[in-house]
Amino acid sequence: MSGYHATMEEFYNFISSHYILPFYFLVWIAAMARYRTYFDTPLKFFPIYLMYTFLTELLGYFIKFYDEFQVVSDNQYDWYNVIVYNIYSVITFSFFYYIYWQVVKQKKHKDWIKIGAVVSLSSYIISLFFQDPFYSNLYYADLVASMILLWNIYLYFKEIKTESSPYPLKHNLMFWTSLGLVIFHLIFPFLHIIGYEAPEIWIEYRLRRVLKILILLMYGGFLIGVLAHRRKAFR
């Protein structure tokens, strides 16, 4: 019985310290439950992205706390898991660039999104000459990528603002997805830079909590979207 209680205590500590993980999984379940309502839209791979996020966070946890998952050769830094998140950033930004390239209609907007994607990828490549992706997040490249994503979202909002639709935005899955992304990426890259360049500020003002709140708000937007959207309102 004592072993059982110890296991349950470990599980409770894990959930209380990593409560965002179950929330990721909850959003994925909701997205899968309503998948038939958007399976033929540009967001058809959205559940795969959500599960990839969940698995990335899970892998990051195992690397940090279990030696068996070590990804760097230096034992002093065997808990470093940043390479996982660097790869995640490149894949995630590419995924959303592609989505907005699909949803915008004007050719010049599509061209700008393609140019932005090239600039973003180039920023990650350039960062490799100044930062080791195994030991540091490529936070300046993340900043560039976030600003480009926000620009893509602006182009999308600019288009839908000029269009007439019988369906309110509250039923538009892309609207809620975009809103969640805007809330997060307006602040996230600057928090990241502070964490590396001014760690005393990061610690003093407990900015990790702010980051977690931003994540919850972003995925909360995703959750509202998959629950409240209507198929015919997608744009």
Side-chain angles (χ1 to χ4, degrees):
M1 184 63 70
S2 58
Y4 170 78
H5 285 300
T7 301
M8 290 304 296
E9 184 177 356
E10 289 180 3
F11 177 75
Y12 173 78
N13 292 334
F14 170 77
I15 294 298
S16 60
S17 301
H18 302 84
Y19 54 86
I20 291 180
L21 266 174
F23 190 58
Y24 287 147
F25 194 67
L26 173 64
V27 178
W28 176 78
I29 291 175
M32 288 301 299
R34 302 216 61 208
Y35 184 65
R36 62 182 178 82
T37 62
Y38 63 92
F39 75 95
D40 56 348
T41 72
L43 281 175
K44 60 186 175 182
F45 297 117
F46 194 49
I48 296 178
Y49 155 75
L50 294 172
M51 178 51 66
Y52 174 51
T53 300
F54 173 78
L55 293 177
T56 296
E57 290 290 346
L58 197 61
L59 178 59
Y61 168 81
F62 282 125
I63 292 173
K64 188 172 183 178
F65 294 102
Y66 294 90
D67 293 339
E68 295 86 345
F69 291 86
Q70 182 178 340
V71 294
V72 296
S73 56
D74 191 341
N75 289 331
Q76 184 179 355
Y77 302 98
D78 59 359
W79 56 275
Y80 270 34
N81 55 16
V82 291
I83 184 61
V84 174
Y85 295 102
N86 284 326
I87 295 173
Y88 173 81
S89 292
V90 174
I91 293 176
T92 296
F93 281 117
S94 299
F95 170 70
F96 282 112
Y97 293 161
Y98 178 67
I99 286 176
Y100 285 100
W101 178 81
Q102 286 187 299
V103 296
V104 298
K105 296 180 178 179
Q106 296 186 30
K107 183 180 182 303
K108 65 177 181 179
H109 291 168
K110 288 182 178 289
D111 291 340
W112 288 347
I113 290 175
K114 287 192 291 186
I115 293 172
V118 173
V119 172
S120 177
L121 180 59
S122 299
S123 70
Y124 281 103
I125 294 175
I126 293 172
S127 292
L128 295 178
F129 292 96
F130 302 96
Q131 297 172 291
D132 188 333
F134 283 91
Y135 294 93
S136 172
N137 285 106
L138 307 179
Y139 44 90
Y140 286 116
D142 285 340
L143 173 62
V144 172
S146 289
M147 295 303 104
I148 291 173
L149 178 58
L150 290 172
W151 171 253
N152 294 347
I153 296 172
Y154 164 75
L155 296 177
Y156 166 70
F157 280 144
K158 183 179 179 180
E159 286 193 3
I160 64 174
K161 184 179 179 181
T162 61
E163 299 171 353
S164 59
S165 173
Y167 305 101
L169 283 177
K170 66 180 181 179
H171 294 316
N172 182 352
L173 178 56
M174 272 305 302
F175 168 76
W176 286 106
T177 302
S178 300
L179 184 61
L181 290 170
V182 167
I183 292 172
F184 181 76
H185 287 281
L186 275 174
I187 303 175
F188 152 73
F190 301 103
L191 290 180
H192 229 178
I193 291 174
I194 291 173
Y196 276 91
E197 299 294 345
E200 66 281 356
I201 296 178
W202 173 271
I203 295 172
E204 181 178 356
Y205 292 96
R206 300 180 178 180
L207 295 184
R208 180 180 293 277
R209 291 185 178 181
V210 177
L211 179 59
K212 288 185 176 182
I213 291 172
L214 289 174
I215 293 173
L216 289 173
L217 289 175
M218 177 171 64
Y219 280 85
F222 295 168
L223 182 59
I224 293 173
V226 296
L227 293 177
H229 81 276
R230 301 291 182 270
R231 173 63 186 89
K232 293 182 179 180
F234 187 91
R235 165 69 179 91

